[in-house]
Amino acid sequence: VYVIPVQDQISRPTFYILRRGLKEAIEQKTDVVVLHMNTPGGALDVTFDIMEALGKFPGQKLTFVDREAMSAGAFISAVTDEIYFAPNAVIGAAAPVLATGGEVDKTMRQKIVSYLRARMRAESEGKGYRGQVISAMIDEDFELKIGEKVLKPKGELLSLTATEALEKYGEPPRALLGAGKAADIDELLTGKFGAGNYEIRYFAVTWSEKLAQFLNSISPVLLGLGLLAIFVEFKTPGFGVFGIAGIALLGIVFLGSY
Protein backbone atom coordinates (compact mmCIF):
# COMPACT_ATOMS: atom_id res chain seq x y z
CA VAL A 1 0.00 0.00 0.00
CA TYR A 2 1.33 3.41 -1.01
CA VAL A 3 -0.01 6.51 0.79
CA ILE A 4 0.06 9.79 -1.16
CA PRO A 5 -0.96 13.09 0.49
CA VAL A 6 -3.55 15.36 -1.14
CA GLN A 7 -3.34 18.26 1.27
CA ASP A 8 -4.32 21.94 1.39
CA GLN A 9 -5.39 23.90 -1.70
CA ILE A 10 -5.59 21.88 -4.94
CA SER A 11 -3.16 23.60 -7.31
CA ARG A 12 -0.65 22.75 -10.03
CA PRO A 13 2.03 21.64 -7.50
CA THR A 14 -0.54 19.21 -6.01
CA PHE A 15 -0.87 17.57 -9.42
CA TYR A 16 2.91 17.27 -9.83
CA ILE A 17 3.22 15.72 -6.36
CA LEU A 18 0.45 13.20 -6.98
CA ARG A 19 1.74 12.31 -10.45
CA ARG A 20 5.21 11.62 -9.06
CA GLY A 21 3.68 9.54 -6.26
CA LEU A 22 1.63 7.45 -8.71
CA LYS A 23 4.71 6.92 -10.89
CA GLU A 24 6.67 5.64 -7.88
CA ALA A 25 3.76 3.40 -6.88
CA ILE A 26 3.64 1.85 -10.37
CA GLU A 27 7.42 1.37 -10.46
CA GLN A 28 7.27 -0.42 -7.09
CA LYS A 29 4.41 -2.64 -8.32
CA THR A 30 2.13 -1.35 -5.60
CA ASP A 31 -1.29 -3.02 -5.30
CA VAL A 32 -3.14 -0.21 -3.52
CA VAL A 33 -2.82 3.57 -3.42
CA VAL A 34 -4.42 5.54 -0.57
CA LEU A 35 -5.02 9.27 -1.02
CA HIS A 36 -4.59 10.95 2.37
CA MET A 37 -7.14 13.70 1.76
CA ASN A 38 -7.47 17.00 3.58
CA THR A 39 -8.35 19.86 1.24
CA PRO A 40 -10.81 22.78 1.02
CA GLY A 41 -10.82 22.46 -2.79
CA GLY A 42 -9.03 24.28 -5.58
CA ALA A 43 -8.55 24.69 -9.32
CA LEU A 44 -10.91 22.75 -11.58
CA ASP A 45 -8.45 22.25 -14.45
CA VAL A 46 -5.89 20.77 -12.06
CA THR A 47 -8.59 18.54 -10.58
CA PHE A 48 -9.33 17.07 -14.01
CA ASP A 49 -5.61 16.41 -14.54
CA ILE A 50 -5.46 14.62 -11.19
CA MET A 51 -8.52 12.52 -12.05
CA GLU A 52 -6.94 11.53 -15.36
CA ALA A 53 -3.66 10.59 -13.66
CA LEU A 54 -5.52 8.43 -11.13
CA GLY A 55 -7.25 6.63 -13.98
CA LYS A 56 -3.86 5.38 -15.22
CA PHE A 57 -3.02 3.60 -11.97
CA PRO A 58 -3.78 -0.11 -12.52
CA GLY A 59 -4.34 -1.09 -8.88
CA GLN A 60 -6.97 -0.31 -6.28
CA LYS A 61 -7.46 3.33 -5.29
CA LEU A 62 -8.78 4.37 -1.87
CA THR A 63 -9.42 7.77 -0.32
CA PHE A 64 -9.06 8.48 3.39
CA VAL A 65 -10.74 11.80 4.25
CA ASP A 66 -8.81 12.88 7.31
CA ARG A 67 -10.70 16.11 7.97
CA GLU A 68 -12.32 17.50 4.84
CA ALA A 69 -12.70 16.82 1.12
CA MET A 70 -14.54 19.87 -0.10
CA SER A 71 -15.20 20.94 -3.70
CA ALA A 72 -12.29 19.63 -5.82
CA GLY A 73 -11.49 17.16 -3.03
CA ALA A 74 -14.95 15.61 -3.46
CA PHE A 75 -14.37 15.21 -7.21
CA ILE A 76 -11.01 13.51 -6.69
CA SER A 77 -12.46 11.22 -4.01
CA ALA A 78 -15.29 10.24 -6.33
CA VAL A 79 -12.97 8.65 -8.91
CA THR A 80 -11.35 6.31 -6.37
CA ASP A 81 -12.76 2.86 -5.67
CA GLU A 82 -13.68 3.41 -2.01
CA ILE A 83 -13.95 6.41 0.29
CA TYR A 84 -13.18 6.11 4.01
CA PHE A 85 -13.64 8.79 6.65
CA ALA A 86 -12.11 9.83 9.93
CA PRO A 87 -14.88 10.14 12.56
CA ASN A 88 -15.16 13.94 12.28
CA ALA A 89 -14.50 14.29 8.54
CA VAL A 90 -16.79 16.07 6.05
CA ILE A 91 -17.17 16.03 2.27
CA GLY A 92 -19.18 18.09 -0.21
CA ALA A 93 -20.09 21.59 -1.47
CA ALA A 94 -18.51 21.28 -4.90
CA ALA A 95 -20.19 24.08 -6.88
CA PRO A 96 -17.86 25.96 -9.29
CA VAL A 97 -16.77 29.48 -8.30
CA LEU A 98 -14.29 31.99 -9.69
CA ALA A 99 -10.68 31.95 -8.52
CA THR A 100 -11.49 35.12 -6.57
CA GLY A 101 -14.30 33.30 -4.76
CA GLY A 102 -17.05 35.17 -6.62
CA GLU A 103 -20.03 33.69 -8.43
CA VAL A 104 -19.72 32.39 -12.00
CA ASP A 105 -21.98 33.97 -14.64
CA LYS A 106 -25.33 32.11 -14.73
CA THR A 107 -25.04 30.84 -18.32
CA MET A 108 -21.46 29.72 -17.85
CA ARG A 109 -22.36 28.19 -14.51
CA GLN A 110 -25.08 26.07 -16.13
CA LYS A 111 -22.62 24.81 -18.74
CA ILE A 112 -19.98 23.96 -16.14
CA VAL A 113 -22.45 22.26 -13.80
CA SER A 114 -23.94 20.22 -16.66
CA TYR A 115 -20.47 19.07 -17.73
CA LEU A 116 -19.39 18.28 -14.17
CA ARG A 117 -22.49 16.24 -13.48
CA ALA A 118 -21.99 14.23 -16.66
CA ARG A 119 -18.33 13.70 -15.85
CA MET A 120 -19.12 12.53 -12.33
CA ARG A 121 -21.87 10.19 -13.54
CA ALA A 122 -19.42 8.61 -15.97
CA GLU A 123 -16.77 8.24 -13.26
CA SER A 124 -19.28 6.85 -10.74
CA GLU A 125 -20.95 4.15 -12.83
CA GLY A 126 -21.39 0.95 -10.82
CA LYS A 127 -20.62 2.73 -7.52
CA GLY A 128 -24.05 2.86 -5.93
CA TYR A 129 -25.44 6.30 -5.15
CA ARG A 130 -22.13 8.09 -5.75
CA GLY A 131 -23.15 9.78 -9.02
CA GLN A 132 -26.35 11.16 -7.48
CA VAL A 133 -24.58 12.30 -4.31
CA ILE A 134 -21.83 14.16 -6.17
CA SER A 135 -24.47 15.76 -8.43
CA ALA A 136 -26.20 17.06 -5.29
CA MET A 137 -22.87 18.54 -4.16
CA ILE A 138 -22.41 20.33 -7.51
CA ASP A 139 -25.89 21.52 -8.44
CA GLU A 140 -28.13 23.37 -6.00
CA ASP A 141 -31.12 22.71 -8.30
CA PHE A 142 -30.66 18.93 -8.12
CA GLU A 143 -32.95 17.13 -5.67
CA LEU A 144 -31.39 14.06 -4.06
CA LYS A 145 -34.18 11.61 -3.39
CA ILE A 146 -33.87 7.91 -2.60
CA GLY A 147 -37.18 6.11 -2.46
CA GLU A 148 -39.59 8.44 -0.69
CA LYS A 149 -36.93 10.23 1.34
CA VAL A 150 -35.57 13.59 0.17
CA LEU A 151 -31.97 13.86 1.37
CA LYS A 152 -31.32 17.24 -0.24
CA PRO A 153 -34.04 19.60 -1.47
CA LYS A 154 -33.53 22.03 -4.33
CA GLY A 155 -31.92 25.33 -3.44
CA GLU A 156 -28.89 24.17 -1.45
CA LEU A 157 -25.66 22.23 -1.89
CA LEU A 158 -25.05 18.90 -0.22
CA SER A 159 -22.32 18.34 2.34
CA LEU A 160 -22.02 15.15 4.40
CA THR A 161 -20.45 14.19 7.69
CA ALA A 162 -18.77 10.81 8.00
CA THR A 163 -21.84 9.38 9.72
CA GLU A 164 -24.21 10.74 7.06
CA ALA A 165 -22.02 9.38 4.24
CA LEU A 166 -22.27 5.89 5.75
CA GLU A 167 -26.05 5.90 6.19
CA LYS A 168 -27.67 3.05 4.23
CA TYR A 169 -30.64 3.44 1.91
CA GLY A 170 -32.65 1.39 -0.56
CA GLU A 171 -33.20 -2.33 -1.09
CA PRO A 172 -30.77 -3.93 -0.65
CA PRO A 173 -29.38 -1.32 1.77
CA ARG A 174 -26.29 0.47 0.45
CA ALA A 175 -24.16 3.18 2.00
CA LEU A 176 -24.76 6.64 0.58
CA LEU A 177 -21.13 7.38 -0.20
CA GLY A 178 -18.59 5.97 2.24
CA ALA A 179 -17.06 2.52 2.66
CA GLY A 180 -16.25 2.90 6.36
CA LYS A 181 -14.83 4.92 9.25
CA ALA A 182 -11.32 4.68 10.67
CA ALA A 183 -9.30 6.70 13.16
CA ASP A 184 -6.27 6.62 10.86
CA ILE A 185 -4.88 4.89 7.78
CA ASP A 186 -3.42 1.98 9.75
CA GLU A 187 -6.84 1.20 11.21
CA LEU A 188 -8.40 1.48 7.75
CA LEU A 189 -5.94 -0.99 6.22
CA THR A 190 -6.08 -3.42 9.14
CA GLY A 191 -9.85 -3.50 8.90
CA LYS A 192 -9.78 -4.02 5.14
CA PHE A 193 -6.87 -6.45 4.71
CA GLY A 194 -6.24 -7.83 8.20
CA ALA A 195 -3.31 -7.21 10.55
CA GLY A 196 0.03 -8.19 9.04
CA ASN A 197 -1.39 -8.69 5.54
CA TYR A 198 -0.07 -5.48 4.04
CA GLU A 199 3.09 -3.41 3.80
CA ILE A 200 2.61 0.34 3.97
CA ARG A 201 4.85 3.01 2.45
CA TYR A 202 4.44 6.75 2.71
CA PHE A 203 5.24 9.05 -0.19
CA ALA A 204 7.68 11.77 0.87
CA VAL A 205 6.99 15.32 -0.29
CA THR A 206 10.28 17.14 -0.97
CA TRP A 207 11.22 20.57 0.35
CA SER A 208 10.98 22.02 -3.16
CA GLU A 209 7.43 20.67 -3.59
CA LYS A 210 6.43 22.19 -0.24
CA LEU A 211 7.99 25.48 -1.36
CA ALA A 212 6.07 25.36 -4.64
CA GLN A 213 2.81 24.81 -2.75
CA PHE A 214 3.56 27.75 -0.45
CA LEU A 215 4.46 30.05 -3.34
CA ASN A 216 1.27 29.06 -5.14
CA SER A 217 -0.80 29.87 -2.05
CA ILE A 218 0.57 33.44 -1.88
CA SER A 219 0.74 34.02 -5.65
CA PRO A 220 -2.07 36.66 -5.66
CA VAL A 221 -0.05 38.75 -3.18
CA LEU A 222 3.16 38.28 -5.15
CA LEU A 223 1.38 39.20 -8.40
CA GLY A 224 0.04 42.42 -6.90
CA LEU A 225 3.44 43.40 -5.49
CA GLY A 226 5.14 42.54 -8.78
CA LEU A 227 2.79 44.71 -10.83
CA LEU A 228 3.14 47.54 -8.31
CA ALA A 229 6.93 47.35 -8.52
CA ILE A 230 6.82 47.40 -12.35
CA PHE A 231 4.47 50.41 -12.24
CA VAL A 232 6.83 52.29 -9.90
CA GLU A 233 9.76 51.41 -12.17
CA PHE A 234 7.97 52.92 -15.19
CA LYS A 235 7.37 56.11 -13.22
CA THR A 236 11.02 56.53 -12.20
CA PRO A 237 13.99 57.32 -14.46
CA GLY A 238 16.45 54.58 -15.43
CA PHE A 239 16.20 50.94 -14.39
CA GLY A 240 16.70 49.95 -10.78
CA VAL A 241 15.64 47.92 -7.81
CA PHE A 242 11.88 48.18 -8.46
CA GLY A 243 12.25 46.76 -11.97
CA ILE A 244 14.39 43.87 -10.76
CA ALA A 245 12.00 43.15 -7.88
CA GLY A 246 8.96 43.30 -10.16
CA ILE A 247 10.45 40.91 -12.71
CA ALA A 248 11.56 38.54 -9.94
CA LEU A 249 8.12 38.51 -8.29
CA LEU A 250 6.30 37.92 -11.57
CA GLY A 251 8.77 35.17 -12.41
CA ILE A 252 7.97 33.45 -9.11
CA VAL A 253 4.23 33.74 -9.77
CA PHE A 254 4.37 32.20 -13.26
CA LEU A 255 7.22 29.72 -12.76
CA GLY A 256 6.93 28.88 -9.06
CA SER A 257 4.82 25.75 -9.69
CA TYR A 258 7.75 24.14 -11.49
Side-chain angles (χ1 to χ4, degrees):
V1 180
Y2 206 59
V3 179
I4 303 175
V6 181
Q7 306 285 319
D8 304 319
Q9 194 82 6
I10 301 296
S11 58
R12 188 56 56 181
T14 311
F15 167 64
Y16 294 143
I17 290 169
L18 184 127
R19 185 176 64 178
R20 184 167 74 84
L22 290 172
K23 183 178 179 181
E24 286 187 14
I26 292 171
E27 289 173 350
Q28 296 178 18
K29 295 180 171 54
T30 302
D31 299 298
V32 182
V33 158
V34 177
L35 302 184
H36 190 180
M37 179 79 65
N38 182 20
T39 176
L44 197 57
D45 59 334
V46 177
T47 302
F48 289 152
D49 289 340
I50 290 174
M51 291 162 59
E52 184 177 347
L54 285 167
K56 296 177 182 178
F57 180 71
Q60 190 174 17
K61 299 176 285 286
L62 311 177
T63 296
F64 176 66
V65 183
D66 196 353
R67 190 172 68 198
E68 60 180 355
M70 307 305 290
S71 191
F75 294 151
I76 296 168
S77 300
V79 302
T80 60
D81 300 305
E82 295 177 351
I83 305 172
Y84 291 83
F85 295 87
N88 296 321
V90 294
I91 186 171
V97 294
L98 296 173
T100 58
E103 291 292 327
V104 180
D105 171 78
K106 183 177 180 181
T107 302
M108 182 59 67
R109 182 187 183 86
Q110 290 176 335
K111 291 180 180 179
I112 295 172
V113 166
S114 177
Y115 171 75
L116 287 175
R117 285 184 57 185
R119 182 78 179 260
M120 288 299 105
R121 287 198 304 272
E123 297 285 357
S124 302
E125 284 185 7
K127 296 177 181 176
Y129 301 119
R130 190 176 298 188
Q132 296 169 261
V133 171
I134 299 298
S135 291
M137 293 178 178
I138 298 169
D139 186 1
E140 63 182 2
D141 295 325
F142 178 81
E143 181 183 69
L144 179 59
K145 185 177 181 181
I146 300 176
E148 297 301 316
K149 186 169 184 179
V150 176
L151 302 180
K152 184 202 80 76
K154 293 182 180 181
E156 59 185 59
L157 295 174
L158 179 68
S159 291
L160 297 171
T161 65
T163 300
E164 291 167 342
L166 293 172
E167 285 284 340
K168 293 185 177 181
Y169 299 91
E171 291 295 337
R174 293 182 297 181
L176 192 60
L177 185 64
K181 276 186 192 180
D184 52 35
I185 291 174
D186 285 312
E187 183 178 307
L188 183 166
L189 297 173
T190 299
K192 184 172 179 62
F193 301 114
N197 291 331
Y198 62 89
E199 177 186 351
I200 187 169
R201 299 176 185 174
Y202 288 89
F203 175 78
V205 179
T206 65
W207 69 267
S208 58
E209 288 166 336
K210 291 178 181 177
L211 176 60
Q213 287 182 303
F214 173 71
L215 292 176
N216 189 85
S217 68
I218 62 170
S219 60
V221 176
L222 298 180
L223 179 62
L225 291 175
L227 292 175
L228 178 61
I230 294 292
F231 175 77
V232 173
E233 183 62 37
F234 274 121
K235 292 295 184 179
T236 55
F239 184 81
V241 65
F242 287 106
I244 295 171
I247 292 170
L249 288 169
L250 294 180
I252 291 171
V253 169
F254 295 110
L255 301 176
S257 295
Y258 299 93

